[in-house]
Amino acid sequence: MHSLAYCCTVAAALGLCSMALAIKRDSIIAFSHVTGGFPIVRNGHAIPIYVDSTDWPGVARAAKDLQSDIAKVTRVEPNFHLGKARPTEACLVIGTLGKSDLIDDLVKRGKLDATLIQNKLEATISQVVENPWPGVHRAFVIAGSDKRGSIYGTYTLSEEAGVSPWYWWADVPVQQHQELYARPGVHFQNSPAVKYRGIFINDEAPSLTNWVHEKFGNYNHKFYEKVFELLLRLKANCLWPAMWDNCFSEDDPLNPKLADEYGIVMGTSHVEPMMRADKEWNREGYSPDAWNYLTHPKELEDFWTRGIERNKPYESIVTVGMRGKIDTPMSETANVQLLEKIVAAQRQIIADHLNKNLEKVPQVWCLYKEVQDYYEKGMRVPDDVTLLWADDNWGNIRRLPTLGERNRKGGAGVYYHFDYVGGPRNYKWLNTVQIERVWEQMHLAYTSGAKQIWIVNVGSMKVKEFPMEFFMRYAWDPASLDASDLKDYTVEWAARQFGDAHAAEIGELIETYTKYNARRKPELLSPDTYTLTNYNEAETVVQDYNNLARRAEALEHELPENCRAAYYELVEHPILACANLNDLYVSAGKNQLYAAQGRFSANWYAGRVKELFGRDQELQTRFHTMLGGKWNHMMDQTHIGYTSWQQPDTNTMPELHTVSAASGFGVAVEGGGDVLPEISAYGPQRRWIDVFSRGAEPFSGTVTCQEPWLTAHREPLPGGDVRFWVSADWNQVPAGITEGQVVVSQGAQTFSVRVPIQPRVRGLHGFVEDDGYVAIEAPHFDKAINGADAYWKPLPNLGKTGGAVTVFPPTGAPQDPERGGMRLEYKVYLFSKGPLFVDAYLSPTQLLWPTGGLKYGISVDDEPPQIVNIHRHYTYFTPSWEKSVADNIIVKQTSHKISGPGYHTVKFWAVDSGVVLQRLVIDTGGVRKSYLGPPESVRLP
């Protein structure tokens, strides 16, 4: 496992966290005496904290937070000294090179070696200093290369002592310790890999806005102080503020002032150039039509000038360019020359009113949606402007720098989404982010040179805690986390919040529910998302999620009482709410299907949907009322009853049907016909036949297997239906038998169901065909042949079903299947003669580079590989793109001929980096419709 050059071990108290971070090492804090250690709190006494009064206000503020944090942890509050006096006793000193006389004096006299951090960005050294001043035996010193270096070093000490960054925002309990010691040695935190790392608070209504109005009155400095502190504790440094109906600098003049004091670099979104909030234009009385540089250049330039002047005293990143009002294209006929003229005018304003040396002013041009099209058509901005590439709003980066674009002075960055309002549908309610996909996409970004700015849209913040922290920690040092580390990272994150005792299980709960939610976002669910007739898909999805919910509920009662609120917010609520929603939609699907079949049990499922709809409200109410209503309104987001991309005004139940009582019974067969799917020794060992009553009287007839080697096990179903599970005794099935029969009878009514049988063949190995297909999860290859300068990289847990595999390094040259032969091989045994189809299930990776699309090769046995372009006929923001992001998968099919039954080798050939293979499905003629695809086939040793 890789390591980040800093610290953290948080040891246990009352069963709380002692597990070291996967991305950290060299812990600073110990909770009992260590040789050479420096006592921060011992025997009920805390050493004082000293900060030079000439240092940055944000450093003093962080040091005051540390004072408070130490008191929370140990119940002993240190004294705090802000001034010019030198310490006269053992102390903790915090300061910035060049701003703190205390720190500079130690450096000058050789007591502190600052060479590790001099002239670096946001770097920190922390160490015990012997005899720092006359009469002072020892001191513990945190020295930053700059303002944020000092702040980050201070908050790192708080986190190691036992105060989570989420102590306020997610009510994570402070870990109690009687003693705190600083370990000996020099503890060094290097500069971050990504210069600007921040969030965009967006799509903030109704949840966040309603909460803010109730708790703070408005998006004022009292609210933003909570945001600033959280960002700094996460080692972020940048913020795009809420903007739907708010103006950061106008709503409260203290907002920008305090942001700068805290150390937060302010920017504005892709639709808000020149440090002006979108709604400021409206508030100043301009009409939306006047937002047009062709017709109102003077008004716009004056508007932008005042934005630059207002923010001149503060550290900012200026967005340049222009889009239309309310997140729309500037105009239908916007041309490159006009946009370049706009940028030139904006830069002249910056030069005239901020700094004539424009390279000293951080500027970004956000290539979002149609703006990227302008770039592709030839629009360019000056070399010192950062190109902020964007994802497709669904976590798939659209474009990254080419080799020739990586040398720009302004560099490149990424604007990414954990939340979105727009097509094919909003997703705002709960966390649906798989950090495995974030890792894969942002690794691509970093290795492609997009490392100047990373901004992530976190919506209302409250439900994105886990991926938000991952994004910031990964941005600090991408080399610190490999794809294989992510499971450990999740467990360790859980340990930091809830303790070691249950960290592994909590980590698994988080890893699993985020995978389930990434299959299809909750807002996109419908009664027909998962098939009710094939592969037991819908019932398996509901069962798996409900099992996860039961585990989550049971674990709550095993946690200490003071952990339960945080656990509900971060883990339990999203699991219970999403399990409930999946159950609701599948129950609605059964109601609709069963009503069409004339099942009287459709009425039971109508009641079930109503019950689950009420349960959704109960879970929301619990969230809103716990902790005295601290988070009231944070779950106001509607999420049931979408009919278009836009959210419904209120949660609305799906359409429900009732069935009037009739006589007789009916039969429904797995697969939807009158023939059961094949029963095979190499696949599911049983298949179902549902027998249902058309009225209130239950089925009272018989189900008879016509062959002695077939059995039908009875299972009661809700609403009075009966499911018969048909299975075969393989020790009794005669050789050569290919079919059996089951007869359902009641009175004069009979129904016959054919049961196809796949005879057993002994001695097989590899993946074996069953029911007309072979399905294989990508990491389950038999052989991986690497290239001369590239290799196959497994991505554990990434994707909808299993893991994934991709080509590394991601910036390598394309592979030539005819020369290097880089490929994955999967050995299969087929009963079919062919022809066959191979479906490749691929992550919905976008084009990434202007090469015409990403490619891979596919072949069976010794045939030449077919080269497939996953972006052929693929255009952004069209139905094909909408389907790929809604399904979170791209499926590409190829056709093949085989020599006949027996062993065959399916080969997946590397061509372009960026292609992420999740699974292969070999269709020999039996694949039925489903959302996730057929379950993985049996693999014999």
Side-chain angles (χ1 to χ4, degrees):
M1 190 177 297
H2 304 284
S3 297
L4 177 69
Y6 210 35
C7 51
C8 187
T9 299
V10 182
L14 300 176
L16 292 176
C17 171
S18 65
M19 187 177 292
L21 276 172
I23 60 169
K24 290 188 173 183
R25 66 174 184 183
D26 186 27
S27 60
I28 298 174
I29 291 293
F31 303 106
S32 60
H33 175 72
V34 293
T35 302
F38 179 81
I40 296 173
V41 178
R42 180 177 61 181
N43 297 330
H45 172 72
I47 62 166
I49 299 171
Y50 279 77
V51 177
D52 196 308
S53 57
T54 60
D55 213 324
W56 300 101
V59 174
R61 191 185 301 275
K64 286 288 290 180
D65 285 344
L66 178 61
Q67 177 194 28
S68 174
D69 291 346
I70 290 173
K72 292 171 186 172
V73 170
T74 65
R75 297 187 175 89
V76 180
E77 183 172 87
N79 290 325
F80 182 81
H81 298 273
L82 178 65
K84 301 301 296 180
R86 287 185 177 179
T88 58
E89 57 185 322
C91 58
L92 195 163
V93 179
I94 300 170
T96 309
L97 289 179
K99 286 291 288 184
S100 168
D101 290 342
L102 291 173
I103 297 298
D104 291 347
D105 178 61
L106 292 173
V107 173
K108 181 179 179 180
R109 293 187 297 107
K111 297 292 184 178
L112 185 69
D113 183 1
T115 55
L116 280 173
I117 62 172
Q118 281 176 333
N119 302 316
K120 289 191 173 184
L121 177 74
E122 299 178 354
T124 313
I125 53 171
S126 305
Q127 71 177 85
V128 178
V129 175
E130 306 291 337
N131 302 310
W133 292 285
V136 180
H137 177 54
R138 303 175 91 196
F140 185 71
V141 177
I142 299 173
S145 62
D146 53 22
K147 170 170 55 180
R148 283 184 289 274
S150 302
I151 292 169
Y152 295 148
T154 303
Y155 282 131
T156 295
L157 203 68
S158 286
E159 185 174 3
E160 284 208 30
V163 180
S164 167
W166 301 103
Y167 79 95
W168 191 87
W169 275 99
D171 305 296
V172 174
V174 172
Q175 302 165 28
Q176 300 297 312
H177 303 281
Q178 291 185 340
E179 297 189 340
L180 298 178
Y181 288 82
R183 296 180 186 273
V186 176
H187 309 274
F188 169 57
Q189 179 172 273
N190 208 342
S191 300
V194 177
K195 184 174 183 180
Y196 296 110
R197 311 162 307 282
I199 66 171
F200 180 19
I201 301 174
N202 191 221
D203 311 329
E204 58 269 23
S207 295
L208 183 65
T209 295
N210 291 348
W211 177 79
V212 166
H213 287 169
E214 178 179 294
K215 305 301 180 182
F216 298 96
N218 196 6
Y219 283 91
N220 54 36
H221 74 279
K222 291 294 185 182
F223 163 73
Y224 276 112
E225 282 180 324
K226 298 293 187 184
V227 177
F228 301 154
E229 181 190 331
L230 173 65
L231 291 176
L232 294 171
R233 287 182 183 265
L234 295 176
K235 295 185 175 62
N237 62 6
C238 187
L239 174 65
W240 288 0
M243 49 74 68
W244 265 21
D245 197 30
N246 294 92
C247 304
F248 180 78
S249 296
E250 279 192 356
D251 290 343
D252 186 341
L254 285 176
N255 283 345
K257 179 179 185 296
L258 287 175
D260 193 68
E261 285 188 10
Y262 269 85
I264 298 298
V265 184
M266 294 303 301
T268 49
S269 72
H270 50 82
V271 76
E272 301 175 296
M274 301 292 279
M275 303 307 297
R276 296 306 301 261
D278 177 69
K279 294 302 184 289
E280 290 184 74
W281 182 257
N282 306 38
R283 291 183 184 182
E284 292 192 9
Y286 296 107
S287 73
D289 292 340
W291 185 262
N292 184 325
Y293 194 77
L294 276 174
T295 60
H296 294 78
K298 184 179 182 304
E299 291 90 337
L300 282 162
E301 288 178 12
D302 175 67
F303 179 73
W304 292 334
T305 298
R306 286 183 282 119
I308 294 299
E309 284 284 357
R310 180 182 61 196
N311 287 274
K312 185 174 183 178
Y314 311 129
E315 193 176 4
S316 306
I317 303 173
V318 180
T319 296
V320 298
M322 188 174 181
R323 296 189 69 218
K325 295 294 288 179
I326 319 176
D327 197 11
T328 60
M330 189 173 70
S331 73
E332 293 297 325
T333 58
N335 60 71
V336 166
Q337 291 75 22
L338 174 62
L339 287 163
E340 288 178 340
K341 183 178 179 181
I342 290 169
V343 172
Q346 291 170 339
R347 283 170 60 81
Q348 188 61 54
I349 292 169
I350 295 170
D352 291 344
H353 298 272
L354 193 54
N355 195 323
K356 292 189 181 299
N357 185 352
L358 288 168
E359 292 185 11
K360 298 291 186 182
V361 181
Q363 301 158 69
V364 298
W365 183 37
C366 187
L367 299 158
Y368 181 68
K369 283 191 174 178
E370 81 288 345
V371 182
Q372 181 177 322
D373 298 337
Y374 304 150
Y375 184 89
E376 305 296 355
K377 291 174 182 176
M379 179 178 173
R380 293 297 182 265
V381 293
D383 198 55
D384 58 282
V385 177
T386 301
L387 299 181
L388 191 63
W389 300 102
D391 69 353
D392 62 354
N393 305 304
W394 292 76
N396 311 299
I397 298 172
R398 290 184 62 194
R399 173 77 147 76
L400 287 170
T402 62
L403 190 61
E405 293 166 338
R406 293 175 197 170
N407 296 321
R408 300 180 71 264
K409 290 180 182 177
V414 173
Y415 169 44
Y416 201 72
H417 284 76
F418 291 167
D419 167 284
Y420 180 57
V421 168
R425 189 156 291 179
N426 299 354
Y427 63 96
K428 301 169 60 180
W429 179 43
L430 292 172
N431 177 29
T432 60
V433 179
Q434 257 197 318
I435 64 168
E436 292 85 357
R437 181 62 167 171
V438 178
W439 182 93
E440 183 263 334
Q441 288 287 286
M442 299 314 294
H443 182 84
L444 274 169
Y446 184 75
T447 55
S448 298
K451 53 187 178 182
Q452 185 74 359
I453 305 172
W454 286 8
I455 294 286
V456 60
N457 185 326
V458 297
S460 293
M461 291 180 57
K462 188 67 188 80
V463 297
K464 306 298 191 305
E465 297 94 339
F466 175 66
M468 179 175 160
E469 180 170 348
F470 173 79
F471 190 90
M472 297 309 162
R473 292 190 184 274
Y474 189 61
W476 187 279
D477 185 3
S480 68
L481 271 175
D482 185 70
S484 60
D485 296 330
L486 298 182
K487 185 178 186 68
D488 288 342
Y489 172 87
T490 304
V491 172
E492 292 159 7
W493 186 87
R496 295 201 311 277
Q497 318 311 321
F498 306 109
D500 277 347
H502 301 287
E505 184 168 6
I506 293 173
E508 187 177 338
L509 292 173
I510 294 170
E511 180 184 69
T512 306
Y513 100 73
T514 52
K515 186 180 190 72
Y516 289 172
N517 278 356
R519 288 172 173 172
R520 192 168 186 87
K521 296 182 185 297
E523 292 87 343
L524 282 154
L525 291 172
S526 68
D528 61 355
T529 295
Y530 298 108
T531 174
L532 295 165
T533 57
N534 299 324
Y535 308 120
N536 299 313
E537 183 181 66
E539 292 173 336
T540 300
V541 165
V542 170
Q543 182 180 49
D544 287 349
Y545 225 141
N546 283 342
N547 287 341
L548 197 71
R550 281 188 284 271
R551 287 174 56 192
E553 285 186 299
L555 184 56
E556 178 190 355
H557 302 293
E558 297 182 34
L559 293 172
E561 182 67 35
N562 67 343
C563 287
R564 293 181 185 178
Y567 177 73
Y568 187 73
E569 296 168 42
L570 297 172
V571 183
E572 186 179 12
H573 175 264
I575 292 174
L576 299 185
C578 290
N580 186 79
L581 190 68
N582 276 268
D583 198 346
L584 182 151
Y585 275 114
V586 169
S587 295
K590 289 184 175 182
N591 166 262
Q592 294 170 12
L593 174 64
Y594 293 177
Q597 293 173 339
R599 296 199 197 196
F600 196 68
S601 60
N603 300 336
W604 185 91
Y605 280 99
R608 173 70 173 163
V609 172
K610 294 173 184 177
E611 175 188 334
L612 294 168
F613 189 79
R615 170 71 168 156
D616 179 90
Q617 182 60 51
E618 291 170 5
L619 294 168
Q620 180 192 68
T621 299
R622 179 181 172 187
F623 201 104
H624 286 167
T625 57
M626 66 182 185
L627 301 174
K630 179 178 178 179
W631 301 115
N632 188 34
H633 294 299
M634 274 297 192
M635 287 298 129
D636 281 355
Q637 179 60 52
T638 55
H639 50 276
I640 307 175
Y642 274 81
T643 57
S644 69
W645 68 268
Q646 185 57 282
Q647 67 193 41
D649 292 333
T650 60
N651 287 329
T652 307
M653 276 190 295
E655 182 181 0
L656 300 175
H657 303 280
T658 57
V659 172
S660 300
S663 61
F665 74 92
V667 174
V669 176
E670 180 178 349
D674 58 2
V675 180
L676 275 179
E678 181 179 83
I679 297 180
S680 165
Y682 313 107
Q685 296 296 292
R686 59 181 193 167
R687 302 292 188 178
W688 56 261
I689 300 171
D690 283 357
V691 183
F692 56 86
S693 174
R694 299 187 183 279
E697 294 299 319
F699 171 72
S700 59
T702 61
V703 173
T704 306
C705 296
Q706 301 299 292
E707 287 75 25
W709 40 266
L710 282 178
T711 58
H713 174 72
R714 181 187 183 106
E715 177 190 352
L717 294 179
D721 296 346
V722 182
R723 174 161 290 181
F724 290 90
W725 290 101
V726 180
S727 59
D729 182 346
W730 295 106
N731 293 321
Q732 297 186 41
V733 177
I737 291 297
T738 60
E739 188 171 283
Q741 190 175 49
V742 175
V743 176
V744 183
S745 301
Q746 180 175 285
Q749 203 178 353
T750 63
F751 193 94
S752 181
V753 180
R754 292 165 52 204
V755 185
I757 299 294
Q758 172 61 60
R760 181 189 300 188
V761 178
R762 298 189 181 277
L764 297 182
H765 55 276
F767 288 97
V768 181
E769 178 189 354
D770 168 62
D771 196 19
Y773 75 87
V774 178
I776 307 170
E777 300 298 334
H780 297 163
F781 48 81
D782 290 285
K783 186 183 294 185
I785 293 87
N786 293 326
D789 54 359
Y791 62 96
W792 292 104
K793 176 76 171 176
L795 303 172
N797 198 55
L798 191 154
K800 296 172 66 170
T801 50
V805 182
T806 191
V807 176
F808 259 50
T811 53
Q815 299 291 309
D816 184 348
E818 294 185 0
R819 297 193 177 187
M822 183 175 174
R823 63 193 182 275
L824 299 171
E825 295 187 355
Y826 301 87
K827 189 173 185 178
V828 301
Y829 184 88
L830 303 178
F831 296 101
S832 302
K833 298 178 182 179
L836 54 82
F837 300 93
V838 177
D839 293 336
Y841 287 59
L842 308 153
S843 294
T845 306
Q846 302 303 297
L847 278 75
L848 294 177
W849 300 284
T851 57
L854 302 180
K855 304 177 185 68
Y856 69 91
I858 194 80
S859 66
V860 178
D861 297 330
D862 295 325
E863 68 178 355
Q866 299 180 39
I867 305 304
V868 180
N869 184 335
I870 71 174
H871 298 116
R872 187 169 180 262
H873 304 313
Y874 187 91
T875 306
Y876 289 115
F877 314 123
T878 60
S880 63
W881 168 82
E882 287 192 347
K883 179 172 173 53
S884 73
V885 296
D887 293 349
N888 203 16
I889 206 79
I890 294 174
V891 181
K892 306 297 288 188
Q893 186 174 86
T894 52
S895 61
H896 307 263
K897 294 181 179 179
I898 57 173
S899 58
Y903 290 105
H904 299 275
T905 302
V906 178
K907 302 172 184 178
F908 184 86
W909 300 79
V911 179
D912 288 319
S913 301
V915 174
V916 179
L917 176 67
Q918 295 188 18
R919 65 196 323 246
L920 293 171
V921 175
I922 300 115
D923 182 0
T924 60
V927 172
R928 300 187 300 278
K929 182 180 179 182
S930 64
Y931 178 72
L932 297 173
E936 187 172 32
S937 299
V938 168
R939 186 184 195 183
L940 298 175

